[in-house]
Amino acid sequence: MISVSQALDHLFALVRPLGQEEVPLIQAAGRVMVKPVQARRDQPPFAASAMDGYATVNPEVGQKLEVIGEAAAGHRFDGEATAGTCVRIFTGAPVPVGATHVTIQEDVTRSGDHITINEAEHGTNIRPAGGDFQDGQIVDAPRLLGANDVALLAAMNIPTVTVAKKPKVAMISTGDELVMPGEDPGPDQIIASNTFGLHAMLCELGADPRLLPIARDNEASLKTVFGLIDDADLVITIGGASVGDHDLVAKVAGDLGMERAFYKVAMRPGKPLMSGRLGNAMMMGLPGNPVSAMVCGHVFVAPVIRAMLGLGNAPAPRLQTKLAAPVTANGPREHYMRAEVTPEGLTAFERQDSSLLSVLGQSNALLVRAPKDPERQVGDVVDYIPL
């Protein structure tokens, strides 16, 4: 068996670039921008009012000013503000030439075409031209675009962006015992849950997953489903990767030309993990136990997808916190314990069986235990992967 870090190194070595494409900005959220962009204008493009009020010139308390016009968002005042005059102005409007302040409307008394200033301003209430960003300012790449990024790029007048192509992922569940959700399972069957959880994870990561038919525990069925892989960049099989008489994935994939990179990782849950290349696709064989498959998704699949998208070769991000309850000494394999992080710290669930999806559903963290990690007490600082 190899370590988790060695397995990740092997996986990253199998990743190949996917290319890039240009998409409209409206479709860019959740995509990885791979080329930097430059702002095409200043923001704001002019000195703009930050408040509703009156554009004034060095205003003083008690001063009486004549209102000579109005400026609104999208409609500037074409004249000039001078001493003794002011311009009615609204938030976002261009500040008239000559004005030094925007005196807010709550600080004046208006009578007809004149105002009297009642309170002194502590600031100008003017947003300077280019105060947010300037023409030519660069947004670096690679960058996973979120809603805030899209808003910024729109303000920069960027209509399209160049993004990494989405990894196409073919997903294959294996086993005579499996039926799809909504079907009526026989007395010896269970529902195929792993592919649905992993499908959701892959969508969140920015991949393009698709579920292939369930492969039964015979070589003919496996070869038929493998024949549907088509143009996938990554093939994920779930189950059938162990060493039992009915675990045929490795044999069939080998018969079809898979170049295996490794098999078995010193971790729990998830020891029977396999990877290699099958034609033009990278392949990962995940264990069939539901929690094992999902943990391997967080520990291995997610970093691989991020690498495919050009976000670098890095393990799943880890955080640190204090234990809120003690944990016993760990065994010889790296352990990813289902746990809950609260303001008081981290508590590992008592039940850690790799079949318990209900426990995983209550978890918001994986407590990472190094091989042979000693008993830990309340208050000890530990590493965890947030879920």
Side-chain angles (χ1 to χ4, degrees):
M1 289 188 290
I2 63 175
S3 68
V4 170
S5 61
Q6 289 172 325
L8 281 169
D9 288 340
H10 282 298
L11 289 170
F12 292 142
L14 294 170
V15 171
R16 292 180 181 174
L18 300 181
Q20 55 195 36
E21 59 187 350
E22 193 171 272
V23 298
L25 184 61
I26 196 68
Q27 299 175 12
R31 304 295 297 272
V32 175
M33 185 174 73
V34 294
K35 285 187 177 180
V37 296
Q38 286 185 314
R40 300 170 63 186
R41 60 179 296 156
D42 293 339
Q43 178 70 7
F46 43 74
S49 177
M51 305 290 285
D52 292 341
Y54 295 86
T56 55
V57 182
N58 300 320
E60 297 179 359
V61 175
Q63 189 177 19
K64 187 174 182 179
L65 303 172
E66 180 185 3
V67 181
I68 59 172
E70 181 177 291
H75 302 279
R76 69 174 58 240
F77 174 69
D78 289 329
E80 182 176 351
T82 59
T85 69
C86 65
V87 175
R88 178 71 168 122
I89 195 167
F90 298 93
T91 303
V95 175
V97 174
T100 61
H101 293 72
V102 171
T103 303
I104 63 174
Q105 58 192 22
E106 293 85 353
D107 289 348
V108 308
T109 300
R110 180 162 180 171
S111 177
D113 290 335
H114 290 81
I115 65 168
T116 300
I117 296 176
N118 302 321
E119 298 287 342
E121 292 293 330
H122 298 293
T124 65
N125 294 320
I126 295 175
R127 296 168 178 152
D132 188 3
F133 56 81
Q134 297 181 345
D135 188 9
Q137 185 170 322
I138 294 175
V139 178
D140 286 328
R143 186 185 189 93
L144 178 61
L145 297 176
N148 295 342
D149 300 303
V150 172
L152 173 63
L153 297 180
M156 288 179 164
N157 200 21
I158 307 297
T160 62
V161 291
T162 302
V163 297
K165 289 184 177 180
K166 289 187 174 185
K168 296 178 181 179
V169 184
M171 306 177 66
I172 305 172
S173 285
T174 69
D176 289 343
E177 75 278 15
L178 299 177
V179 298
M180 294 292 281
E183 296 182 2
D184 293 323
D188 301 322
Q189 292 184 305
I190 59 174
I191 309 300
S193 60
N194 300 343
T195 40
F196 284 82
L198 291 165
H199 187 282
M201 182 187 297
L202 287 162
C203 288
E204 291 175 355
L205 290 165
D208 180 16
R210 65 179 186 269
L211 269 58
L212 299 186
I214 295 172
R216 299 306 172 186
D217 287 327
N218 61 77
E219 293 188 26
S221 178
L222 275 167
K223 287 180 179 178
T224 297
V225 178
F226 270 113
L228 302 175
I229 289 171
D230 195 23
D231 60 347
D233 303 299
L234 172 63
V235 178
I236 296 178
T237 61
I238 302 100
S242 192
V243 293
D245 292 341
H246 299 284
D247 296 317
L248 303 172
V249 170
K251 179 184 184 307
V252 171
D255 291 344
L256 295 173
M258 185 189 74
E259 302 170 10
R260 192 160 75 183
F262 66 85
Y263 171 57
K264 290 189 180 180
V265 179
M267 65 180 292
R268 53 188 290 233
K271 180 178 73 171
L273 185 79
M274 175 182 65
S275 188
R277 290 206 69 86
L278 182 61
N280 293 323
M282 179 179 173
M283 181 175 168
M284 298 177 67
L286 306 188
N289 277 326
V291 175
S292 300
M294 292 301 293
V295 168
C296 286
H298 290 290
V299 175
F300 297 114
V301 177
V304 163
I305 295 298
R306 286 192 283 266
M308 285 182 162
L309 290 170
L311 293 174
N313 297 346
R318 295 186 183 185
L319 300 177
Q320 289 189 322
T321 191
K322 294 181 179 180
L323 281 177
V327 291
T328 59
N330 189 33
R333 289 184 282 159
E334 193 165 303
H335 195 182
Y336 293 82
M337 302 180 72
R338 278 67 73 201
E340 182 181 22
V341 176
T342 67
E344 289 72 39
L346 182 146
T347 301
F349 287 100
E350 182 177 349
R351 299 194 302 162
Q352 291 289 325
D353 189 278
S354 60
S355 67
L356 301 178
L357 280 173
S358 59
V359 175
L360 182 64
Q362 299 174 59
S363 303
N364 62 8
L366 293 174
L367 168 60
V368 183
R369 306 290 306 283
K372 299 182 179 179
D373 190 44
E375 181 179 352
R376 295 299 189 103
Q377 303 300 325
V378 173
D380 285 355
V381 176
V382 293
D383 291 342
Y384 71 94
I385 296 174
L387 299 181

